[in-house]
Amino acid sequence: EGYNLQQMADLLAKKGLVNKDRFLQVAKRGEFSLVYLPEPGTEGRLEGFLFPDTYQIIKGWPEEKIINMMLQRFDEVFLPEWHKRADEMEMTINEVVTLASIIEREAKISADRPLISSVFHNRMKKGMHLESCATVQYALGEVKEVLLYEDLEIDSPYNTYVHGGLPPGPIASPGRDSLEAALYPAQSNYLYFVAKPDGSHYFSRTLAEHNEAKRKYLK
């Protein structure tokens, strides 16, 4: 969970299972049966849809077979009731996976996922920017322990400090818990969260409370 498409390609290539360039090319332009996937040729087309799981892969399998196996697993995990729930929330599958991918990258412990989801849903309802560091890291193409102010100004549609709403697509492959959290957020009035040293998060309702939490935990 949490790997992006490039990282998955790197891992599979390192294990001698795929040719990295061909894997990425098939992911971008291959023909697949899932109707809710972005159109062939779309940049980052299968980002978020290659489900992170344990697979048995035989060396020599073509890249198409490996990708299809991961897509089919995603389709199995994304339950029919989740499709219905997405419709009720007026979200596309791509939007659900996009939000779930941000939750996946932000959360360190499973219990925080529904609360992190609630923060993002609440911010979108109020017309606030998501301001997710994880999306900025995706735009930068690297994971930084500490983002600089200049990083938060990067010109990218994935910069949720600059652009409102969800980014154009997922930033990583979310696991089942993050997908569920995106569809079933906790009921809260939280608008902010900050990571604590133990990996859990402190959630705040007001900016003043959030700033105090940052002073306490970001040292």
Side-chain angles (χ1 to χ4, degrees), residues 46-166:
L46 298 189
E47 190 76 86
F49 289 96
L50 300 182
F51 191 75
D53 208 340
T54 301
Y55 297 96
Q56 292 185 341
I57 300 172
I58 297 174
K59 285 190 176 183
W61 279 5
E63 286 78 2
E64 289 89 346
K65 184 169 183 175
I66 295 172
I67 289 173
N68 264 309
M69 180 172 60
M70 300 176 80
L71 290 175
Q72 288 168 10
R73 182 65 182 135
F74 176 91
D75 203 42
E76 291 170 1
V77 170
F78 206 94
L79 302 169
E81 54 262 40
W82 289 6
H83 286 271
K84 183 179 178 181
R85 173 65 173 167
D87 289 340
E88 291 171 352
M89 300 178 80
E90 298 183 345
M91 295 179 73
T92 66
I93 305 303
N94 189 66
E95 288 171 337
V96 172
V97 178
T98 299
L99 178 56
S101 72
I102 300 172
I103 296 167
E104 186 69 58
R105 294 292 296 121
E106 293 281 5
K108 295 294 183 291
I109 63 173
S110 191
D112 280 353
R113 288 186 173 94
L115 285 169
I116 289 174
S117 179
S118 75
V119 168
F120 290 138
H121 277 286
N122 290 342
R123 291 180 74 90
M124 286 190 288
K125 286 176 183 176
K126 289 180 175 289
M128 301 171 68
H129 288 184
L130 295 186
E131 296 187 356
S132 166
C133 293
T135 64
V136 175
Q137 291 170 341
Y138 185 79
L140 291 170
E142 62 177 312
V143 176
K144 288 186 172 182
E145 287 295 324
V146 179
L147 290 175
L148 305 176
Y149 284 115
E150 62 194 52
D151 294 330
L152 303 182
E153 297 174 356
I154 183 173
D155 182 16
S156 168
Y158 287 88
N159 184 352
T160 54
Y161 280 82
V162 174
H163 300 284
L166 290 166

Side-chain angles (χ1 to χ4, degrees), residues 143-208:
V143 176
K144 288 186 172 182
E145 287 295 324
V146 179
L147 290 175
L148 305 176
Y149 284 115
E150 62 194 52
D151 294 330
L152 303 182
E153 297 174 356
I154 183 173
D155 182 16
S156 168
Y158 287 88
N159 184 352
T160 54
Y161 280 82
V162 174
H163 300 284
L166 290 166
I171 61 171
S173 284
R176 186 193 304 265
D177 288 348
S178 292
L179 288 166
E180 188 168 21
L183 289 164
Y184 300 95
Q187 296 298 310
S188 83
N189 295 319
Y190 294 133
L191 293 171
Y192 307 90
F193 60 85
V194 63
K196 297 191 286 188
D198 66 358
S200 64
H201 289 80
Y202 184 89
F203 297 87
S204 303
R205 295 175 178 82
T206 67
L207 182 58

